[in-house]
Amino acid sequence: MNPISPLPSPSSSSSSSSPQTPIWVYSYIKLRFFNRIRRFLRSKTPKKPYVSPKESITPPSNEVMQVADAGWDSNCGIGGGADISAAALRMTVKKLHFGSWEEKEIAAKMIEKMSKEDVKVKKLMVELRVVPALVSMVASDAVGRPEVAVKALLELAKGSFENKALMVEAGILHKLPRNIQAMDESAKHDFARLLLSLSSLINSHFTTALQTNESGIPFLVEILDSTSNFETQKCCLETVYNISTVLENVGPLVSNGVVHTLLKMSSSKGLSDRALAALGNLVVTSQGKKEMESSPLVPDSLIEIMTWEDKPKSIELSAYILMMLAHQSSEQREKMAKSGIVAVLLEVALLGSPLAQKRALKLLQWFKNEKQAKMDPHSGPQTGRIVIGSPVNQREVREGRKMMKNLVKQSLYKNMELITGRASAGDPAKLKNLVISTSSKSLPF
């Protein structure tokens, strides 16, 4: 057997009689070889699902789809720490817009969770119109649906002025539930938090919506009257304060009985600062002042607040409201005098904060002499000013001064006993200074 002869080398082939093979032939062969390898590798990878050209968002990957499916199956829980993609959000939004009511509730929970975990999701909500869909769920009478939607709206409203404005423009104030008595404390608290968050738009969208709405303020006041939860009451009072800062909202607030509610809430030391601050905004208007003057709680409740030693802010606010009520109203001053306001004002003028002392002294000036002609115009101008030149009027002035001096002296003796007893437990030097500073010479009259 003859041995196999080796293949000719390129050098030998070039020297043979056959023509030389061009270099481009070798390049072509290599290119075809790599193309076949590439097609072979592609055939081994799983095919991607078909995506319609109308889709504006890239299709979800297998990992994201598994995360989303797990979320729907496990009551909206997202596990594994996987990132929430736009595709998963889009699938949730589809359920919110076109799914059944059960799917809408699950989608709302998913949106709430996604908003907590990723701030960027809130920006996508504007384009995907999630806010109007959630607002429409608030108007549903089904049990549980409004509460789920409100929780999602609360998360979307955090730190996003645009989302808050969208909620108001979508008519959230017109779609509040009417049957508040059927709501539990948790649902009332969520609604109170949402209204408080929206009230930050008081100078723009929120004010306009309130003026064209007949259920927003009554809904808020009814929650405030019906709830016993302290945090819910605080949220409602802060919302009422924000609303009361706009003059156009005073009328609807007064007509819905908010003055009486605020006066009741002011008797609670934990809520007094917020309630009195809102009353301070209302008392500067004729409607608010008239409503307070007709309330049976005025002025006794406000005078009682001025005796709270541990609530200096409440004392200042109460003194301010009493000043506004006593201004140009002899009837209110008479009611206050019968309620023992002079003794309380003396104590505040001696022991209160600088602002409270200033307001108490101003009130004491008004009570000093109802017919004094030298009272400044800004210090509560009185009706029926006296004429100094008349002998009869001079005698009335002297009698009035003598009567007021005796009244002040009696009140001072009683209050000095109380003040001395309080200060005796402290530094004797402080007591000495207090007695000197509270002598009759230091009084404004």
Side-chain angles (χ1 to χ4, degrees), residues 154-414:
L154 274 171
E155 291 299 325
L156 295 175
K158 290 181 180 178
S160 176
F161 181 91
E162 185 177 7
N163 286 348
K164 293 178 185 179
L166 283 175
M167 294 175 197
V168 176
E169 291 175 357
I172 182 67
L173 298 179
H174 298 267
K175 299 179 180 180
L176 297 172
R178 296 183 178 180
N179 190 8
I180 298 180
Q181 300 299 330
M183 298 168 56
D184 56 11
E185 290 295 333
S186 176
K188 293 179 183 178
H189 182 60
D190 290 337
F191 274 102
R193 289 174 56 203
L194 180 61
L195 291 177
L196 176 58
S197 178
L198 296 178
S199 66
S200 62
L201 308 174
I202 194 62
N203 292 324
S204 54
H205 304 74
F206 193 73
T207 301
T208 305
L210 278 177
Q211 295 171 6
T212 59
N213 182 29
E214 298 180 355
S215 60
I217 293 178
F219 178 83
L220 179 64
V221 176
E222 190 172 353
I223 288 182
L224 190 57
D225 290 332
S226 62
T227 185
S228 58
N229 184 276
F230 180 73
E231 295 298 328
T232 304
Q233 291 173 339
K234 286 200 305 182
C235 290
C236 291
L237 289 176
E238 290 175 1
T239 306
V240 171
Y241 172 78
N242 291 340
I243 296 174
S244 65
T245 56
V246 178
L247 187 62
E248 289 78 3
N249 296 331
V250 173
L253 285 172
V254 173
S255 61
N256 284 281
V258 74
V259 171
H260 184 69
T261 301
L262 292 175
L263 287 171
K264 290 193 304 181
M265 293 293 176
S266 63
S267 300
S268 173
K269 289 189 176 182
L271 303 171
S272 60
D273 289 354
R274 295 172 176 84
L276 291 171
L279 286 173
N281 290 335
L282 298 177
V283 75
V284 298
T285 64
S286 58
Q287 291 175 296
K289 184 178 180 181
K290 184 178 180 180
E291 189 72 14
M292 291 184 204
E293 290 175 346
S294 62
S295 174
L297 299 177
V298 176
D300 294 337
S301 61
L302 297 173
I303 296 174
E304 176 66 23
I305 292 172
M306 294 183 66
T307 62
W308 295 350
E309 300 176 2
D310 55 340
K311 299 291 292 183
K313 185 66 175 179
S314 296
I315 295 175
E316 295 172 359
L317 292 170
S318 181
Y320 172 76
I321 296 172
L322 289 171
M323 284 180 61
M324 297 301 300
L325 293 174
H327 183 70
Q328 292 184 333
S329 177
S330 58
E331 181 183 356
Q332 289 300 314
R333 290 193 295 272
E334 184 179 357
K335 289 173 61 177
M336 295 176 189
K338 291 180 180 179
S339 300
I341 191 175
V342 174
V344 177
L345 289 175
L346 282 170
E347 183 176 354
V348 174
L350 296 173
L351 298 177
S353 64
L355 181 57
Q357 289 179 350
K358 182 178 179 180
R359 292 172 176 174
L361 290 174
K362 181 66 67 176
L363 280 168
L364 283 172
Q365 283 183 350
W366 297 352
F367 284 101
K368 176 182 175 181
N369 192 350
E370 287 285 337
K371 298 180 180 181
Q372 184 177 359
K374 294 182 179 180
M375 185 173 291
D376 296 333
H378 67 276
S379 303
Q382 311 299 314
T383 58
R385 291 179 178 270
I386 60 175
V387 182
I388 301 299
S390 174
V392 178
N393 290 334
Q394 286 287 357
R395 184 168 58 254
E396 291 180 356
V397 170
R398 287 194 297 269
E399 290 177 358
R401 288 179 178 176
K402 183 178 179 180
M403 182 178 60
M404 183 58 66
K405 188 177 294 185
N406 292 334
L407 177 62
V408 170
K409 187 179 295 184
Q410 293 175 6
S411 300
L412 182 60
Y413 288 153
K414 294 180 181 179

Side-chain angles (χ1 to χ4, degrees), residues 109-169:
K109 294 179 182 179
M110 283 285 287
I111 291 173
E112 176 191 1
K113 190 171 185 64
M114 284 190 257
S115 300
K116 288 181 180 179
E117 296 182 354
D118 192 352
V119 180
K120 296 180 180 179
V121 173
K122 296 180 181 179
K123 298 180 180 180
L124 296 175
M125 300 299 176
V126 179
E127 300 178 359
L128 298 177
R129 296 189 57 80
V130 165
V131 172
L134 291 172
V135 170
S136 63
M137 289 182 64
V138 175
S140 174
D141 296 330
V143 178
R145 292 171 189 169
E147 289 80 358
V148 172
V150 168
K151 289 181 181 295
L153 290 172
L154 274 171
E155 291 299 325
L156 295 175
K158 290 181 180 178
S160 176
F161 181 91
E162 185 177 7
N163 286 348
K164 293 178 185 179
L166 283 175
M167 294 175 197
V168 176
E169 291 175 357

